[in-house]
Amino acid sequence: MDIIDIRILDILDIVFVALLLYYVYKLVRGTAAVNIFIGIVVIYLVWLLTRLLQMELLSSVLGEFIGVGVFALIVVFQQEIRKFLLMVGSTNFTHNGRFFRNLRFSRDETESRTNIDAIVNACQSMGESLTGALMVIQRNNKLDFVKTTGDKMKIELNQPIIESVFFKNSTLHDGAMIIEENKITATRVILPVSNDRSIPLRFGLRHRAAVGITEKTDALALVVSEETGQTSFIKDGQFVMFETMEELREKLKEDLSR
């Protein structure tokens, strides 16, 4: 096909496929699934090459593998597919232009509006007093489906408010706190609990709830243990390791600025 014969629709087709692959990569980046994703892309490119070179036998073998592999991918990427569909169905397309920022290929990160210092300082203070806490920070996926299980709020985020909500004698301390941008939008929220058996037994319902909500959405979760005072950071259903509260602060800034 001559370059002159390329239509506008052909260019749009290539752009949309590139955007789709980019979004899928963003969903699996940082997880074990990213290696599977890269492997699939490599096999597909090899298949295209064998077809171009008219290597019929190898091309047919790879073609059959790709055809059957689609069903296996649905099982392997079940969690990521769920996140992708939830993101498409629940993303606010106009709010701060965040959806369109995520479509960009460049890594032009913007400063988060969330008061990260208040969150981290509250976690440190509550850890020292062995006050249990569970905070969920919304990113792209809306959390309305869990907010309805708790008490809706609209309070500006700051350290004293966070600590007062999770104070042991407070009527709001049970359940999770939902944070959107720089607002506390719900408290006493009931989250879906993960059934992942690989979670160590020393972690209780707060940690399982944090894993559960981050498995189903792209939200970030912070848990303060009332037994040890240790703060846990959960993202994509996985515990993110950090050594100091300053390192946690930087990780939150990085994830919330994307």
Side-chain angles (χ1 to χ4, degrees):
M1 181 174 63
D2 296 329
I3 295 180
I4 266 180
D5 295 331
I6 295 179
R7 302 173 302 164
I8 297 295
L9 288 178
D10 295 327
I11 297 174
L12 288 175
D13 189 20
I14 294 172
V15 170
F16 287 145
V17 170
L19 287 174
L20 177 62
L21 290 175
Y22 173 68
Y23 237 122
V24 171
Y25 174 74
K26 284 193 70 175
L27 284 174
V28 301
R29 183 177 57 189
T31 69
V34 69
N35 295 324
I36 302 174
F37 173 76
I38 293 173
I40 292 168
V41 172
V42 170
I43 291 175
Y44 182 72
L45 292 176
V46 171
W47 177 61
L48 291 180
L49 180 62
T50 57
R51 290 187 62 189
L52 181 64
L53 298 177
Q54 297 183 347
M55 301 170 66
E56 298 297 336
L57 181 59
L58 185 56
S59 176
S60 61
V61 170
L62 291 176
E64 291 294 329
F65 177 81
I66 291 174
V68 176
V70 170
F71 298 100
L73 289 179
I74 296 175
V75 177
V76 173
F77 289 105
Q78 182 179 6
Q79 181 178 318
E80 284 73 18
I81 291 172
R82 179 187 176 90
K83 278 189 179 181
F84 179 77
L85 294 177
L86 183 61
M87 176 186 63
V88 172
S90 65
T91 296
N92 188 331
F93 285 80
T94 59
H95 184 55
N96 297 325
R98 193 163 194 172
F99 177 81
F100 296 102
R101 279 208 310 270
N102 284 334
L103 288 177
R104 297 178 184 174
F105 287 88
S106 59
R107 293 287 302 278
D108 55 333
E109 299 183 352
T110 57
E111 189 69 25
S112 169
R113 298 185 181 185
T114 307
N115 190 345
I116 297 173
D117 289 336
I119 296 174
V120 175
N121 292 338
C123 286
Q124 186 170 10
S125 177
M126 290 185 293
E128 292 171 353
S129 61
L130 297 181
T131 301
L134 171 54
M135 290 173 278
V136 179
I137 308 173
Q138 177 178 295
R139 290 205 286 176
N140 297 309
N141 301 157
K142 296 183 72 174
L143 301 174
D144 292 346
F145 71 103
V146 292
K147 283 167 59 177
T148 55
T149 65
D151 299 326
K152 289 189 176 181
M153 303 281 178
K154 194 172 182 181
I155 309 171
E156 186 172 350
L157 182 67
N158 59 64
Q159 183 180 347
I161 289 294
I162 295 174
E163 293 186 38
S164 64
V165 167
F166 290 112
F167 180 64
K168 294 178 182 179
N169 294 329
S170 167
T171 57
L172 302 176
H173 79 280
D174 281 332
M177 171 190 289
I178 304 297
I179 298 171
E180 300 178 35
E181 293 292 341
N182 204 40
K183 299 285 185 182
I184 298 171
T185 57
T187 57
R188 294 205 308 170
V189 171
I190 300 173
L191 301 178
V193 177
S194 174
N195 294 319
D196 188 352
R197 295 187 177 182
S198 65
I199 300 175
L201 294 177
R202 68 178 182 275
F203 293 127
L205 283 177
R206 279 197 183 95
H207 292 85
R208 288 190 171 274
V211 172
I213 191 64
T214 57
E215 284 176 341
K216 293 176 171 58
T217 71
D218 68 346
L220 306 176
L222 290 166
V223 182
V224 180
S225 170
E226 60 184 344
E227 284 81 22
T228 64
Q230 181 179 3
T231 299
S232 299
F233 176 33
I234 297 97
K235 178 179 72 171
D236 297 325
Q238 303 291 328
F239 286 81
V240 179
M241 305 305 296
F242 61 92
E243 294 184 359
T244 64
M245 298 305 284
E246 184 59 36
E247 186 178 347
L248 172 61
R249 195 188 319 270
E250 293 303 316
K251 287 181 180 293
L252 286 172
K253 286 181 180 179
E254 180 181 355
D255 287 324
L256 292 175
S257 61
R258 291 176 179 173

